[in-house]
Amino acid sequence: QVQLVESGGGLVQSGGSLRLSCAASGISLSIYVMGWYRQAPGKQRELVAVIRSGGSTNYADSVKGRFTISRDNAKNTVSLQMNSLKPEDTAVYYCNTASGMVPWGQGTQVTVSS
């Protein structure tokens, strides 16, 4: 059974940092373009960062320069380092392939207070 489990969210003050992790079972993440998504209340889910098998990355303009996506193929995990957090980063964060082909996990809540 394919499963993605996100962790690492929490409550942080504006300007703070968090590191999110995504652990996979039943699928080898190394062969996929992986992404971190987020969904704020009342908004559509958006893709904020992607990482390709070779390690190249892309970011949404809203997080560029503040977030860093990385992957550890040996551990079958993908991470998102989030620095200089802003209240508008508040959302539930999910990982998935860039095409969203895997059943969505529960996500991890990130709340940034002003």
Side-chain angles (χ1 to χ4, degrees):
Q1 181 178 357
V2 177
Q3 189 175 20
L4 298 170
V5 179
E6 300 91 351
S7 62
L11 173 63
V12 63
Q13 289 188 331
S14 182
S17 299
L18 285 172
R19 185 175 181 84
L20 308 183
S21 293
C22 171
S25 58
I27 184 174
S28 176
L29 300 183
S30 63
I31 65 173
Y32 293 100
V33 178
M34 292 300 299
W36 277 96
Y37 300 74
R38 67 185 181 188
Q39 187 167 21
K43 295 187 177 181
Q44 288 190 328
R45 187 174 293 163
E46 63 171 336
L47 180 62
V48 298
V50 296
I51 184 166
R52 298 172 184 79
S53 299
S56 63
T57 57
N58 284 99
Y59 300 92
D61 287 343
S62 58
V63 307
K64 197 172 295 183
R66 300 187 298 120
F67 289 11
T68 303
I69 188 172
S70 60
R71 65 196 308 160
D72 186 331
N73 292 334
K75 294 182 179 179
N76 207 28
T77 59
V78 177
S79 298
L80 186 69
Q81 177 67 42
M82 306 187 296
N83 298 328
S84 302
L85 283 162
K86 304 175 181 180
E88 52 263 45
D89 295 318
T90 294
V92 179
Y93 284 71
Y94 304 86
C95 68
N96 208 316
T97 65
S99 61
M101 62 173 278
V102 178
W104 294 91
Q106 297 288 336
T108 185
Q109 175 71 49
V110 172
T111 303
V112 185
S113 63
S114 56

